[in-house]
Amino acid sequence: MKYTCTFLLLFFVFALGNAQNSILGFSEKSANEQQALEKAFEEKLKATNIDNWIQKMSAEPHWVGTKFGEENAKWMRDQFKSWGYDAKIETYHVLFPYPTERVLELTEPTQYKAKLTAVPVEGDPYTAQGDALLPSYNAFSTDGDVEGELVFVNYGIPKDYEELEKLGISVKGKIVIAKYQGSWRGIKPKLAAENGAIGCIIYSDPQDDGYGRGDVYPKGAFKNKTGVQRGSVMDMPTYPGDVLTPGYGATKDAKRLTKEEAPTITKIPVLPISYEDAQPLLEALEGPIAPESWRGGLPITYHIGPGKAKVHLKLKFDWQLVPAHNVIATMKGTEFPDQWVVRGNHHDAWVHGANDPVSGMVALMEEARAVGEMAKKGQKPKRTLVYCAWDAEEPGLIGSTEWVEDHKKELQEKVVAYINTDGNGRGFLGVGGSHSLQSMVSEVAGAVTDPQTKVSVKERRIARDMVNGGNDTFELYALGSGSDYTPFIQHAGIASLNLGFGGENEGGEYHTIYDTYPHYKRFKDPEFAYGVALANTAGRITLRLANADIIPLDFSAWYKTVSGYLEEIMEETAKMRTSVEKHNKLIDRNAFELALDPRENIKAPERKEPVPYLDFSPLQNVLSELKSTIDAYSSIDLHKVSKAEKEKLNALLMDAEHKLTSEDGLPRRPWFKHQIYAPGFYTGYGVKTLPGVREAIEQKNWSEAKEQISVLSGTLSNFNEHLKAIIGTVK
Ligand SMILES: [Zn+2]
């Protein structure tokens, strides 16, 4: 018995030692040092700091331009300084509309004036701050005073308009009411305007975001009948950031567009409302009954309209330039001061923002504090660390975008990677980003312990994925948009990551007056253990990138993912072709006409243009060349190369992600330069991978699809040449 035990113990020590000794980008010796360093870092992280700082930073509303927001920025700057960072505030002057008049009323057939106010709740004093709370509105809605018949458009996304067309219903000259969800909110007014609507109302349906999900606040975490989700409707898929200074920093003296020239302000007025305010409007609708999948959780029969129901919507904003204060804290690297690892989270909130963004912001600060404490004891990072707290993320990723645009050239030369976080909660680790970083992230996730189950956060995530039918692998999702990584990866072409914990922290507080400390503590991360886990995960990633001998990029994972995207597009195109053929066959047989109820005034759909065969071979060929190059790179033992070679190698590795961009950018949106990942033009936050090709096909623009296949294969071919040059440095 004793013998067996000893044997087993020896075996474990050996196996463990062996597994731990290898870290991507580190030699065996430096891997041991790094592991000791990360362990010491982890031991310094304290949940009490996270708890105290969430309370402090979310005590008052702090959207961009507020006094409290500025105080938070100054306090963070001073904290960073006290931890040994060179910290400063960089301020930009950005357009920010504040609502001065909000009227929504049903004028016919009965009258109802929308309240547009969420009520304070018992047990949460933060919700009773009266006028200090920002009125609910959608930032970058245009001013407007419109009256018209109302039409219900479900989520207001492309397929809903196809359905309306089939039903013979037009929204031209009408005001639409759409449910939140189904897409990023800014897509709803964009599509409504493209279809001729004159106004847009967005509401949270209780089935998606209210009592249909669980008990409502304050009894439970979900949205009560008065809660309203604020949020930006700026046309961010065209370009995010300050609407008046596209592509360059909104410095004090920058040349600005006039508000009238700014293409990213909506064309029609938009207002978000609660389900309490939406019910009388929806109840007044007549016309066809909404399709089953459109119906929500209100105790009414959902009709589409139009008909007698008429609404009046009047919105006025104070369009002011406000200061956006980014906090930038730098710790110079000891060996490679001109190679930067940038780590960021935003600090502005719509209201108190205990979850979004403060829970992520304070995890970043706790991470920076622990790193600073170690540096004071002589354990300084080899590369420079830049910790950032962004302002004005909520109205349109403004603080980070202006900073990246302002410093673009320097950042493209110096930044190894950007690591983003935002709100955080209890549950599973989710990471999105550049797929060349996937293997490194996977190793880190394997080294961080889940606070509830004590297995690694990687093992727990994989377990959940497998239970839900997924694979036994840890994969990064592709980045669309929705937080501050966008300017880094999609505009500047810097390798980026976005991470956070969640999945066991559901609620309806997002962008409402209910995102407060009491709500956070009850429903999100009661022990702040996942705040610590986030600081631990993001901190280890940051420290690995800062200290690696060779920048830890693995292109095999990249290749697998990107060739998967191409296969997916080819399959989708084939499916599209079959479905159009089937549709046209039914038209030939007059089947749609015959299947329709003759008493309903419904129009049969029209014939569709056939889907041509596209030649994807330029992409298939360049990917096959890439595979050979990447296999050759993977087979080199990089730790055997000389110091001088390593330096050359790292310089080229730092530039690899940039080779995946094209200076001309995507069609009709040149700000977006990355050729692998972009937010969808009609999905908003939702990602479109290989976006030039994929969106041309989805829009049935066949000549553009051919053109984009050629553009993308050119980009991939440059990337292949760059990888060959990387191999060249060590041969
Ligand atoms: Zn956020």
Side-chain angles (χ1 to χ4, degrees), residues 582-602:
K582 201 170 148 197
H583 175 93
N584 287 347
K585 252 184 216 157
L586 292 175
I587 297 233
D588 292 342
R589 291 186 51 164
N590 208 19
F592 287 111
E593 293 269 354
L594 296 174
L596 287 171
D597 182 345
R599 292 190 184 199
E600 297 255 356
N601 187 21
I602 299 176

Side-chain angles (χ1 to χ4, degrees), residues 322-529:
V322 299
H325 303 295
N326 293 329
V327 184
I328 310 291
T330 306
M331 178 176 292
K332 220 176 197 168
T334 51
E335 282 185 43
F336 313 105
D338 285 333
Q339 297 180 6
W340 300 356
V341 181
V342 184
R343 170 82 177 88
N345 197 106
H346 70 101
H347 70 81
D348 67 304
W350 277 122
V351 194
H352 301 90
N355 179 35
D356 178 11
V358 175
S359 62
M361 188 67 246
V362 299
L364 177 148
M365 292 180 68
E366 180 56 5
E367 171 191 328
R369 186 195 64 76
V371 168
E373 210 179 288
M374 304 216 315
K376 280 182 182 169
K377 287 181 187 144
Q379 287 181 296
K380 289 189 176 162
K382 291 181 183 166
R383 297 191 173 84
T384 295
L385 301 183
V386 185
Y387 279 95
C388 311
W390 309 117
D391 203 348
E393 186 268 0
E394 293 295 2
L397 318 178
I398 301 177
S400 58
T401 297
E402 297 314 308
W403 192 75
V404 170
E405 289 176 346
D406 198 18
H407 302 282
K408 189 173 163 192
K409 200 168 167 288
E410 187 178 21
L411 296 175
Q412 285 175 332
E413 279 165 14
K414 295 183 177 168
V415 179
V416 174
Y418 173 69
I419 302 130
N420 191 70
T421 51
D422 203 322
N424 190 57
R426 194 169 68 89
F428 307 90
L429 175 66
V431 190
S434 307
H435 285 87
S436 50
L437 291 168
Q438 179 168 297
S439 303
M440 183 270 289
V441 174
S442 172
E443 283 183 355
V444 170
V448 173
T449 305
D450 175 64
Q452 296 175 111
T453 61
K454 309 300 174 200
V455 299
S456 74
V457 296
K458 175 180 172 177
E459 197 179 332
R460 183 144 200 258
R461 222 300 287 286
I462 290 177
R464 198 249 349 229
D465 288 356
M466 285 172 68
V467 166
N468 293 332
N471 296 330
D472 185 7
T473 48
F474 184 89
E475 284 165 12
L476 303 188
Y477 61 84
L479 292 178
S481 189
S483 196
D484 295 301
Y485 50 80
T486 278
F488 287 91
I489 184 164
Q490 284 143 356
H491 184 61
I494 291 165
S496 299
L497 293 171
N498 182 50
L499 61 150
F501 287 88
E504 296 170 328
N505 58 338
E506 284 182 307
E509 83 296 338
Y510 175 68
H511 292 185
T512 72
I513 68 163
Y514 305 118
D515 184 1
T516 58
Y517 178 77
H519 188 286
Y520 190 84
K521 182 145 173 69
R522 280 177 65 196
F523 303 112
K524 298 287 166 181
D525 184 15
E527 283 92 41
F528 306 95

Side-chain angles (χ1 to χ4, degrees), residues 109-129:
T110 50
Q111 268 108 52
Y112 173 77
K113 195 166 176 3
K115 296 177 187 140
L116 310 179
T117 310
V119 296
V121 300
E122 216 176 293
D124 188 342
Y126 296 94
T127 61
Q129 288 181 338

Side-chain angles (χ1 to χ4, degrees), residues 23-31 33-34 335-336 339 382-383 543-552 638-639 641-643 645-647 649-651 653:
I23 320 183
L24 193 63
F26 290 80
S27 69
E28 204 178 311
K29 182 175 161 281
S30 48
E33 287 166 15
Q34 178 70 14
E335 282 185 43
F336 313 105
Q339 297 180 6
K382 291 181 183 166
R383 297 191 173 84
L543 291 170
R544 281 196 193 183
L545 287 162
N547 295 333
D549 303 316
I550 314 281
I551 292 167
L638 296 167
H639 298 294
V641 304
S642 71
K643 198 168 171 237
E645 281 176 332
K646 264 184 205 162
E647 274 181 27
L649 179 66
N650 279 334
L653 282 170

